[in-house]
Amino acid sequence: MKLSTKGQYGVRAMIVIAENSNNDKYVSINDIAAKEKISSGYLERIISKLKKAGFVKSERGANGGYILGKKPKDINMFDIMSVLEDNIDVIECVDVQVFEKCDNHCNCKARKLWLKVNEAVENVLKNTTLEDIIADNNKK
Amino acid sequence: MKLSTKGQYGVRAMIVIAENSNNDKYVSINDIAAKEKISSGYLERIISKLKKAGFVKSERGANGGYILGKKPKDINMFDIMSVLEDNIDVIECVDVQVFEKCDNHCNCKARKLWLKVNEAVENVLKNTTLEDIIADNNKK
DNA sequence: AACAATTCCAACTTAAACGATAGGGATTGC
DNA sequence: GCAATCCCTATCGTTTAAGTTGGAATTGTT
Ligand code: FES
Ligand code: FES
């Protein structure tokens, strides 16, 4: 079981962008990539998804870059991960539509367990906003 | 984020074995594979790991098969998954040893989030025993 | 006007993991 | 002896994840 790097990198990028958005400062892909030691080409595609979802706004050309598209308290980790991870469920059959087509569903006694795991993950992600993360780091 | 089928199949296999272990009945790989619609060759290797870990015992030859190696209440899902999934942590850096070697660890503000996610998953898995699952299914 | 810094976009490549298969040896009950 | 089983290892094919490349469009600066 692993979260993809897309999700990880995306969250880290959002943190960097958030830290600069106070001063209306746009951060470039290269700056983020350098700071977080991530391939910039790869990061670009990740941020592009975040942009489509409205979590960041962009400005092209010299001095361009990215800035938050919403307030930190209105961006939670579940939303970010949902955009970036292709499918966030811990197994396919968590999804009701898949479940109903599943050969096995009539006697699958394990599904309840996966539902619980899934719910636990979602809860943590949904209850953590970008604001929480920033605050948490300033505190200590 | 996905749990591998190894883990899923393993849990399902354990449930089948558990349901037969009351009567000291050994269940063969083929029976489990047929019941759960899993490739038997693949399942074999999964169960072999469970055997090495002591969760099941085996009997060779005709009428052979597998039976529980411990009481259902002494087998929890975390233990099963730990044996089957190569690495159960949601990201590499959850592990302290990896963390300490991580280029980024000095300024990685996201790790706390992953730790929380990881803990949530582990809690569910640790708090669910084979006995719980069986009981849960008999009930309804 | 030239230039450099940037976002934007799509195609491609590489590497690893997953899921599965194949073949054969060893053991046991009938 | 034979069929059913566990046991072990090697191999394979597909998909996915991760990263690369190349280039177009936009914008500020000199
Ligand atoms: S395998 Fe689909 S519900 Fe269990
Ligand atoms: S990347 Fe290693 S701790 Fe964040």
Side-chain angles (χ1 to χ4, degrees):
Chain A
M1 169 153 75
K2 276 282 165 300
L3 289 166
S4 75
T5 56
K6 272 188 232 147
Q8 296 177 47
Y9 292 173
V11 167
R12 280 162 58 190
M14 287 298 288
I15 294 173
V16 176
I17 296 172
E19 287 172 336
N20 285 278
S21 292
N22 314 328
N23 346 333
D24 275 7
K25 190 176 153 205
Y26 286 77
V27 197
S28 75
I29 294 270
N30 279 329
D31 287 352
I32 303 172
K35 184 161 187 184
E36 294 294 321
K37 296 179 190 110
I38 297 172
S39 140
S40 61
Y42 189 39
L43 181 61
E44 192 185 306
R45 278 190 325 201
I46 292 170
I47 294 191
S48 136
K49 288 191 188 178
L50 293 170
K51 196 203 157 184
K52 279 184 191 131
F55 297 129
V56 298
K57 287 181 298 191
S58 66
E59 195 67 43
R60 289 176 130 190
N63 300 329
Y66 296 90
I67 198 168
L68 284 192
K70 302 181 176 190
K71 293 180 186 156
K73 76 167 162 47
D74 294 328
I75 300 177
N76 73 52
M77 296 302 124
F78 181 76
D79 294 337
I80 295 181
M81 296 300 278
S82 299
V83 167
L84 297 178
E85 301 273 325
D86 292 326
N87 184 342
I88 199 164
D89 294 332
V90 296
I91 69 157
E92 301 292 342
C93 276
V94 162
D95 183 272
V96 178
Q97 308 229 341
V98 177
F99 173 56
E100 274 164 6
K101 281 178 197 147
C102 177
D103 261 3
N104 229 44
H105 81 277
C106 37
N107 71 338
C108 185
K109 296 167 178 163
R111 185 169 177 256
K112 243 181 208 173
L113 174 65
W114 312 132
L115 287 178
K116 273 203 277 185
V117 172
N118 208 60
E119 201 191 335
V121 172
E122 289 196 2
N123 276 343
V124 172
L125 294 179
K126 284 180 179 165
N127 289 326
T128 307
T129 68
L130 204 44
E131 187 177 61
D132 295 335
I133 292 188
I134 307 288
D136 207 32
N137 275 285
N138 288 340
K139 199 169 53 191
K140 72 135 202 277
Chain B
M1 171 154 75
K2 277 283 164 300
L3 290 165
S4 75
T5 56
K6 273 189 229 142
Q8 295 177 48
Y9 291 174
V11 167
R12 280 161 60 188
M14 286 298 287
I15 294 173
V16 174
I17 295 172
E19 287 172 335
N20 286 277
S21 291
N22 314 327
N23 346 333
D24 275 7
K25 189 178 153 203
Y26 286 78
V27 197
S28 74
I29 294 268
N30 279 329
D31 286 353
I32 302 173
K35 184 161 187 186
E36 296 292 322
K37 298 182 187 105
I38 296 171
S39 140
S40 62
Y42 189 40
L43 182 61
E44 193 184 303
R45 276 188 325 193
I46 292 169
I47 295 190
S48 133
K49 288 191 186 176
L50 294 170
K51 195 202 158 184
K52 278 184 191 132
F55 298 128
V56 298
K57 287 180 299 191
S58 66
E59 195 67 43
R60 289 175 131 189
N63 300 329
Y66 295 90
I67 199 169
L68 284 191
K70 301 182 177 188
K71 292 180 188 157
K73 77 167 161 47
D74 294 328
I75 301 176
N76 73 52
M77 297 303 122
F78 181 76
D79 293 337
I80 296 181
M81 296 300 278
S82 299
V83 168
L84 297 177
E85 301 274 326
D86 293 326
N87 184 343
I88 200 165
D89 295 332
V90 296
I91 69 157
E92 301 292 343
C93 276
V94 162
D95 183 272
V96 178
Q97 308 228 342
V98 178
F99 173 57
E100 273 164 7
K101 281 178 197 146
C102 177
D103 261 3
N104 230 42
H105 82 278
C106 38
N107 71 337
C108 185
K109 297 167 178 163
R111 185 168 176 256
K112 244 181 207 172
L113 175 64
W114 313 131
L115 287 178
K116 273 203 277 183
V117 172
N118 207 59
E119 202 190 335
V121 171
E122 288 195 1
N123 276 342
V124 172
L125 294 178
K126 283 180 179 163
N127 289 327
T128 308
T129 67
L130 204 45
E131 187 177 61
D132 295 334
I133 292 188
I134 307 287
D136 206 31
N137 275 285
N138 289 339
K139 198 168 53 189
K140 71 138 201 269

